Amino acid sequence: MKRLLILSCLLLPFFPHGAMAIPVEVIEARLRDVRFESFSVAEMTLPEALTALKKRVDEMTAENRPPEEAPLLLILVPPAPVAGDPGNHPPLTVSYDGKNVTLDTILREIARTANQDVFLTSAGVVITPKGMPPFPNPEWKEGEIFRKLTSDGRE
């Protein structure tokens, strides 16, 4: 199994790994400015929940987004395999129900529920298992971490 799972429906078309950085201002604006009257997911796996979220974001922003501006990139990094663990655990499911919330809030809450960290990076928004840094990884060997969006209780 690849160490990095990129949700194919969330990829930028023809995204050249390592060749392009997304300006932090663009990512922050999208996280802050995309507001949902309501957003709910119930008992979905983390990839399913992120796919549903991404679909809604794309629907909401498609008509106002300039054609040369690519959709937001979300990268999900799965947990590293543990030696001796057969890995046949039931998938973790998440649920979320929010009203009048921003994309930033939804990502933080879904990540908290799934015990994940969310990082704002030059590659886009990277979701990793709690305590695991987003770089390096096989698909994006280096990048700049602008900030961590989730709290570890000390922030």
Side-chain angles (χ1 to χ4, degrees):
M1 185 171 104
K2 288 178 75 174
R3 181 150 159 71
L4 176 72
L5 169 67
I6 299 181
L7 301 175
S8 60
C9 63
L10 304 179
L11 284 175
L12 293 169
F14 310 108
F15 190 81
H17 296 291
M20 182 173 93
I22 301 168
V24 65
E25 297 82 15
V26 171
I27 301 170
E28 285 179 329
R30 290 179 187 171
L31 294 175
R32 177 187 63 242
D33 296 344
V34 174
R35 182 170 291 277
F36 295 81
E37 286 183 27
S38 67
F39 182 80
S40 297
V41 293
E43 297 301 312
M44 289 184 164
T45 66
L46 184 56
E48 290 169 339
L50 292 174
T51 299
L53 178 61
K54 180 68 168 105
K55 182 178 178 187
R56 284 279 307 275
V57 169
D58 286 347
E59 290 169 356
M60 292 171 61
T61 61
E63 66 184 47
N64 297 326
R65 188 176 61 238
E68 69 279 359
E69 190 176 290
L72 181 64
L73 179 64
L74 298 176
I75 302 170
L76 175 62
V77 179
V82 176
D85 185 351
N88 56 355
H89 307 284
L92 172 71
T93 59
V94 296
S95 296
Y96 175 79
D97 184 29
K99 306 254 185 269
N100 194 28
V101 291
T102 62
L103 177 56
D104 179 86
T105 299
I106 294 169
L107 283 170
R108 289 174 199 247
E109 289 302 310
I110 288 175
R112 183 187 58 76
T113 301
N115 200 30
Q116 304 284 303
D117 283 327
V118 180
F119 294 90
L120 180 62
T121 76
S122 56
V125 178
V126 180
I127 300 109
T128 68
K130 179 110 12 229
M132 181 180 192
F135 303 114
N137 66 58
E139 297 294 328
W140 192 282
K141 300 211 181 317
E142 58 185 53
E144 184 177 354
I145 300 171
F146 299 124
R147 66 186 170 97
K148 185 176 173 185
L149 299 178
T150 49
S151 173
D152 59 9
R154 296 179 299 207
E155 298 177 31

